[in-house]
């Protein structure tokens, strides 16, 4: 049903696994972990331009807030006219609200695609969304871009003793399917890898939110809705990572950590670049004012009045 997402995601993951596997070995857990991390980086590189546009859109939205509020107040009783005037304002300033959420809209299906592809390396589980395959059938069934040999390589790979496709809460039947490929992992081994990743993911989510809130204008931060959203981003979302972490496979936690680390670095670079551009524009405007300003002691130039212009034409 969603093969148009699963195949591209698995293709990128396959490429990076082949790249790192050629150096570290195809069954190496770090080769698979790095493949997941660089899948994230590949996606984020492709989304750099939309991400920059998102930042510009957010800033433009803050600048247009006074005009937007004025229109909402002026046409409070006429929703259709209000919408029309909003569209005019957006068109006049080249403002596209969709660009503000495009990166998130693109990342969501990739996250779901990665989750599905990784889970499909082990289809022995039962229950909702699981196929209940035998360990032998699973190990000999390809997984999108990955061959049966790749599936067996993934099952054999360990990251500090834990397979990256399991979670702390994975059922014993799922863990038992790893027996022919390096032995059955223990919950303690999985937790020893997953819990530090959960903490890192939670901290990264918090610090990204803190950096975002810090860059808000005073007016935006004072808005009651923004204040509630800021608290959710700062405290509830990071706590959600800790609470939901035991149910997420290690590879998804790797995705979460690497995605947040990239976001933190990208925000710093993008905002620095935009701040530099805006400072240059302000200097240019200031220099232009100096050039056009009247010299000290000189009278400012005045336009002749209409009557004076008529008398000059008669002469």
């Amino acid at each position: 049903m969603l093969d148009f997402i699963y195949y591209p995601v698995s293709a990128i993951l396959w490429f990076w696994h082949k790249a790192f596997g050629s150096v570290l070995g195809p069954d190496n857990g770090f080769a698979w972990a790095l493949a997941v991390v660089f899948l994230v980086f590949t996606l984020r590189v492709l989304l750099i331009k939309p991400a920059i546009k998102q930042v510009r859109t957010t800033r433009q939205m803050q600048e247009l807030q006074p005009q937007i509020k004025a229109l909402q107040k002026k046409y409070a009783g006429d929703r259709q006219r209000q919408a029309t005037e909003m569209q005019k304002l957006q068109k006049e300033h080249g403002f596209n609200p969709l660009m503000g959420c495009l990166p998130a809209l693109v990342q969501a299906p990739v996250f779901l695609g990665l989750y599905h592809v990784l889970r499909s390396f082990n289809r022995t589980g039962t229950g909702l969304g699981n196929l209940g395959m035998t360990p032998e059938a699973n190990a000999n069934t390809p997984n999108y871009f990955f061959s049966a040999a790749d599936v067996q390589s993934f099952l054999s790979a360990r990251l500090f003793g834990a397979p990256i496709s399991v979670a702390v809460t994975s059922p014993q039947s799922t863990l038992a399917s790893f027996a022919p490929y390096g032995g059955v992992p223990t919950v303690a081994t999985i937790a020893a890898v997953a819990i530090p990743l959960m903490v890192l993911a939670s901290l990264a989510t918090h610090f990204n939110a803190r950096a975002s809130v810090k860059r808000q204008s005073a007016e935006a931060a004072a808005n009651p809705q923004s204040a509630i959203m800021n608290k959710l981003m700062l405290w509830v979302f990071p706590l959600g990572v800790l609470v939901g972490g035991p149910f997420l496979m290690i590879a998804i936690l790797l995705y979460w950590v690497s995605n947040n680390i990239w976001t933190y670095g990208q925000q710093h670079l993008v905002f620095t670049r935009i701040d530099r551009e805006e400072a240059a524009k302000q200097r240019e405007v200031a220099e232009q004012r100096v050039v056009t300003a009247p010299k000290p002691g000189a009278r400012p130039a005045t336009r002749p009045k209409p009557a004076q212009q008529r008398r000059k034409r008669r002469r």
Side-chain angles (χ1 to χ4, degrees):
M1 181 178 171
L2 295 176
D3 285 355
F4 69 96
I5 295 173
Y6 302 148
Y7 274 102
V9 168
S10 65
I12 297 170
L13 188 64
W14 177 88
F15 170 81
W16 285 117
H17 171 251
K18 293 300 179 185
F20 290 112
S22 65
V23 178
L24 302 174
D27 298 347
N28 188 286
F30 285 97
W32 282 101
L34 287 169
V36 173
V37 170
F38 275 77
L39 166 66
V40 176
F41 292 168
T42 302
L43 170 67
R44 297 306 300 270
V45 166
L46 295 174
L47 289 175
I48 280 179
K49 284 190 175 180
I52 293 172
K53 188 69 176 176
Q54 179 187 25
V55 174
R56 294 188 191 280
T57 299
T58 303
R59 288 207 168 184
Q60 198 173 20
M61 185 73 176
Q62 292 176 357
E63 292 171 2
L64 292 177
Q65 275 301 311
Q67 297 179 57
I68 291 172
K69 287 182 178 179
L71 288 175
Q72 289 173 340
K73 186 177 180 180
K74 185 176 181 179
Y75 301 107
D78 190 346
R79 290 298 180 89
Q80 187 174 354
R81 181 67 185 278
Q82 186 183 119
T84 303
E85 293 298 325
M86 287 282 196
Q87 289 175 355
K88 285 182 182 178
L89 181 66
Q90 291 170 6
K91 189 175 181 181
E92 180 184 343
H93 292 272
F95 174 70
N96 185 359
L98 182 62
M99 292 306 298
C101 54
L102 181 61
L105 290 175
V106 173
Q107 285 185 65
V110 173
F111 177 87
L112 294 174
L114 177 63
Y115 180 83
H116 177 78
V117 169
L118 290 172
R119 191 177 70 163
S120 296
F121 277 108
N122 191 337
R123 294 148 288 193
T124 59
T126 57
L128 182 65
N130 291 308
L131 299 179
M133 298 173 71
T134 63
E136 294 76 15
N138 175 70
N140 291 284
T141 303
N143 179 22
Y144 297 100
F145 248 79
F146 294 96
S147 65
D150 293 327
V151 172
Q152 293 167 27
S153 169
F154 185 89
L155 294 171
S156 301
R158 295 287 189 274
L159 187 64
F160 299 110
I164 64 172
S165 67
V166 296
V168 175
T169 56
S170 291
Q172 193 60 38
S173 58
T174 299
L175 300 182
S177 65
F178 288 93
Y181 306 98
V184 178
T186 64
V187 175
T189 303
I190 297 167
V193 178
I195 290 174
L197 288 173
M198 288 159 49
V199 173
L200 278 174
S202 181
L203 289 173
T205 303
H206 172 77
F207 282 111
N208 270 334
R210 178 178 286 186
S212 179
V213 170
K214 190 177 178 180
R215 292 186 179 99
Q216 288 180 351
S217 65
E219 185 182 40
N223 186 295
Q225 291 180 340
S226 297
I228 293 171
M229 193 62 198
N230 289 344
K231 287 180 180 178
L232 288 173
M233 291 193 303
L234 283 168
W235 307 111
V236 178
F237 293 169
L239 182 61
V241 177
L242 289 176
V243 173
F247 301 94
L248 298 175
M249 61 182 71
I250 290 171
I252 294 298
L253 292 172
L254 283 168
Y255 175 96
W256 201 294
V257 171
S258 53
N259 189 54
N260 276 280
I261 289 173
W262 180 282
T263 299
Y264 190 84
Q266 180 178 282
Q267 277 188 349
H268 177 73
L269 293 174
V270 168
F271 276 100
T272 300
R273 174 182 168 182
I274 291 176
D275 288 341
R276 191 163 52 241
E277 289 175 358
E278 291 183 354
K281 285 181 182 178
Q282 289 174 1
R283 283 197 302 270
E284 187 179 338
V285 170
E287 288 170 3
Q288 191 65 28
R289 285 176 182 168
V290 170
V291 170
T292 57
K295 294 180 180 180
R299 282 187 173 185
T302 57
R303 280 185 165 185
K305 294 180 180 179
Q308 291 175 331
Q309 289 177 334
R310 285 196 295 272
R311 280 198 295 272
K312 286 179 181 178
R313 281 199 292 268
R314 288 194 195 111
R315 292 174 189 171

